Amino acid sequence: MGIVCSYYYISTSTIATFVEKLTDNLKMKSLIELLSEAYEFKDIAYRLGERQSLAQMTQPLQVVPINKAHALLILHFSSIPLPPDLVEDPKKLLGVGVRLLHALVDIISSFGYLKPLILTMQLCEMLVQAMWVTDSPLLQVVERPYA
């Protein structure tokens, strides 16, 4: 797994978290939570008042965010515009997120799990396209407020 760390420039604690929580019956919800627990997102911390603000923004989606990175991912997939003070935070999340997902694909393929592998590839598409995998592809044509 050290080769994966050096190739994708990610932390060994991220790889350890991925390997520890990886199962053959991983669901999309768990995969998004797993991604948000990566060590690379530890510096994306809540500032004063953001926890309540993000909880209110994710409440209509019936999701309870486990951390700020998780909340930002959910809002990104749902194309919900962020307040001006939060606009800069997703930039690191999106840049590093694709790299983390590529590393996760390598890790999952070494375990031989097919279903989590497909879900990880779908999650990578979701991250790049800023939409849920279940959304209509025609939504890519429409100008989105935040993508």
Side-chain angles (χ1 to χ4, degrees):
M1 293 300 156
I3 294 172
V4 175
C5 291
S6 63
Y7 185 79
Y8 292 105
Y9 302 106
I10 59 176
S11 169
T12 54
S13 37
T14 297
I15 296 293
T17 302
F18 287 171
V19 170
E20 175 188 333
K21 297 189 177 183
L22 190 62
T23 63
D24 189 29
N25 58 355
L26 202 64
K27 305 281 188 229
M28 184 62 79
K29 177 184 174 189
S30 303
L31 192 58
I32 294 170
E33 291 174 359
L34 179 62
L35 176 64
S36 70
E37 291 175 5
Y39 179 79
E40 284 74 8
F41 298 144
K42 295 294 181 197
D43 60 339
I44 303 178
Y46 287 110
R47 294 186 286 269
L48 186 64
E50 284 183 347
R51 186 180 306 269
Q52 294 81 11
S53 173
L54 288 171
Q56 288 175 351
M57 293 174 76
T58 56
Q59 186 178 16
L61 304 171
Q62 299 176 348
V63 174
V64 178
I66 59 171
N67 56 30
K68 186 175 178 180
H70 184 242
L72 291 173
L73 283 170
I74 298 298
L75 294 172
H76 176 70
F77 299 145
S78 302
S79 295
I80 296 176
L82 296 173
D85 56 333
L86 287 173
V87 171
E88 292 299 316
D89 292 336
K91 290 183 181 175
K92 179 177 183 186
L93 186 81
L94 300 177
V96 175
V98 172
R99 206 171 65 228
L100 289 171
L101 288 172
H102 288 170
L104 189 56
V105 165
D106 281 353
I107 294 167
I108 293 171
S109 63
S110 69
F111 280 92
Y113 298 151
L114 180 61
K115 185 178 176 189
L117 183 65
I118 293 170
L119 288 175
T120 304
M121 290 179 185
Q122 288 177 339
L123 182 57
C124 193
E125 289 177 15
M126 288 169 46
L127 193 63
V128 170
Q129 296 170 351
M131 60 189 296
W132 293 99
V133 72
T134 56
D135 289 344
S136 169
L138 294 175
L139 289 174
Q140 296 176 31
V141 178
V142 179
E143 183 178 336
R144 307 280 284 239
Y146 159 26

